[in-house]
Structures are given as C-alpha cells and as structure tokens.
Amino acid sequence: NVTKKEVTRDSDFIDGISEEFAKAIYIEMQLSLFDDIDPKTAIWLLQQCTRKTFSLDDTIMMEGEEGKDLVLLLSGEAVIKVGGATVYKFEKGAIIGESGVAKKTFRRNATVLAGSSKVQVLVITQEKLSDIRIEMPEVFTEIYMNLLNMAIEKLGFANDTIQQKIEAGAEKDSENLELTRELEHKNWLRRLAV
C-alpha cells in the first residue's frame, strides 16, 4: 500500500515512470484528468508519461510551435506568456497543453516557461494518447471528457478575468469622462470670465 509521498524526488526513470512513483503522484495530486477512471488504470496511464526537469526560464512549450504534448506540472511553477507578456502562472498539479492533444494540427498560442529553479513535469504525447484511443476507447473518452471540462473551467476563468478588466476599464473611462467634463466646464467658465 502506497502512502502519500513527495513526488518531486529524483528517479532513475526518464521515459516512463515506476509504478510506485505513479501511485505517489496519483495519491498526492488527485488529478481531475483521472475523474471517473479507476485508480489502477490512472496509475498505468501515469506510467506512460515521460518525466522532464526544467530550470528557471527554460522553455517548456513555445508559442507558435506544433502542439502535441499534454504536460502535468509535478513541482514548481510555470509562467504563461503571450507575445512576451506574462498572462498567468500555473502551480503544481496544473495540466497544460490540452489543446495540442485535442487537434491533429495545432500551433501553441502561448509560451510556457519554467517559473522556478526546478520544475518537474510529466509529458504524455499525442501519439501515446492515440494508442490509448485504439486500445482503450472507454478510458480515452473519459480522458477527453475530463480535458474538455478542464478547458471549460479555464475558459470560464479567462472570461471572468476579461470581464473584470472591462469593468475596471469602464470605471476608469467613467472617471476620465468626469475629469474631461470638469475641465471643459472650467474652460467654459474661464471663457465667460474673459
């Protein structure tokens, strides 16, 4: 029986991970990617991943490149940049790159950089997911439904963020309009005094 462990320890496995390590990740992170998938299958799926480590400011994904990997952030922080501007930071447990595995051809719409000194990720490729689709269609369907739900949550968050910025901009525009009216009123009074 596996107990909760720190999942950022070093491992000899690079392409694929040990069952013990996969169990530790499954128990500690309780990922929504595996909702409605039995634990044994979820652990097997984690073992199909490749483990990678990045240092601060290393590129995990590049804006404009063909997206084919789904990335699970095991430790550290990932910084999301669009057009060079930081737009978001993901923390441990985040799933990044779901659009890249959902479409056969997809260009990344953001750059993802390691935002801390040591960032560990698990990567599952579009090819591995394609194999799962053929060999285990029910599991594949659950994974895609979970990815869809995560994408909907991200879109909802993005929509809320945009709405807040619009409201803040409208408030600022209202203040600017009020200042403009006040200045016009003072100018009008000044002209009357002359």
Side-chain angles (χ1 to χ4, degrees):
N1 204 7
V2 177
T3 58
K4 185 175 180 178
K5 296 179 182 178
E6 179 58 39
V7 298
T8 58
R9 67 182 190 276
D10 288 332
S11 170
D12 295 331
F13 298 90
I14 296 172
D15 191 16
I17 61 172
S18 71
E19 182 178 0
E20 182 180 324
F21 189 65
K23 284 180 183 177
I25 293 167
Y26 180 78
I27 291 168
E28 181 174 328
M29 301 187 98
Q30 299 180 13
L31 302 166
S32 58
L33 179 63
F34 301 123
D35 287 353
D36 300 322
I37 296 175
D38 73 271
K40 187 175 180 179
T41 302
I43 290 165
W44 178 84
L45 288 167
L46 285 166
Q47 288 181 269
Q48 306 312 301
C49 296
T50 300
R51 185 172 171 193
K52 294 183 179 181
T53 302
F54 297 92
S55 297
L56 183 64
D57 293 329
D58 283 352
T59 301
I60 299 170
M61 295 176 184
M62 177 64 76
E63 185 173 358
E65 75 181 0
E66 190 173 351
K68 291 188 174 188
D69 299 333
L70 183 66
V71 175
L72 162 62
L73 191 58
L74 289 181
S75 67
E77 184 177 87
V79 177
I80 312 305
K81 293 189 172 213
V82 176
T86 299
V87 295
Y88 195 73
K89 292 182 181 180
F90 283 110
E91 296 178 351
K92 177 180 174 179
I95 306 282
I96 307 167
E98 61 276 6
S99 298
V101 297
K103 296 177 73 175
K104 286 191 178 192
T105 56
F106 177 78
R107 297 278 173 207
R108 298 277 184 213
N109 55 20
T111 295
V112 180
L113 302 175
S116 48
S117 60
K118 185 177 182 184
V119 176
Q120 292 189 358
V121 301
L122 289 182
V123 177
I124 189 159
T125 64
Q126 190 179 54
E127 292 80 19
K128 288 266 188 189
L129 284 172
S130 184
D131 292 344
I132 293 167
R133 179 180 54 83
I134 293 165
E135 296 171 21
M136 306 168 77
E138 300 84 15
V139 172
F140 178 81
T141 300
E142 289 300 330
I143 290 170
Y144 263 69
M145 291 303 296
N146 294 337
L147 287 172
L148 177 62
N149 288 330
M150 287 186 282
I152 289 169
E153 285 178 26
K154 284 181 181 179
L155 286 171
F157 175 77
N159 185 55
D160 291 346
T161 302
I162 290 168
Q163 188 62 38
Q164 289 170 358
K165 289 183 179 196
I166 289 171
E167 289 170 2
E171 192 174 296
K172 189 173 183 178
D173 287 345
S174 177
E175 290 172 17
N176 288 341
L177 183 60
E178 197 60 40
L179 287 172
T180 302
R181 285 183 183 156
E182 188 177 319
L183 284 172
E184 287 175 354
H185 182 71
K186 286 180 182 178
N187 284 336
W188 183 76
L189 287 174
R190 223 179 275 132
R191 280 188 224 146
L192 282 177
V194 173

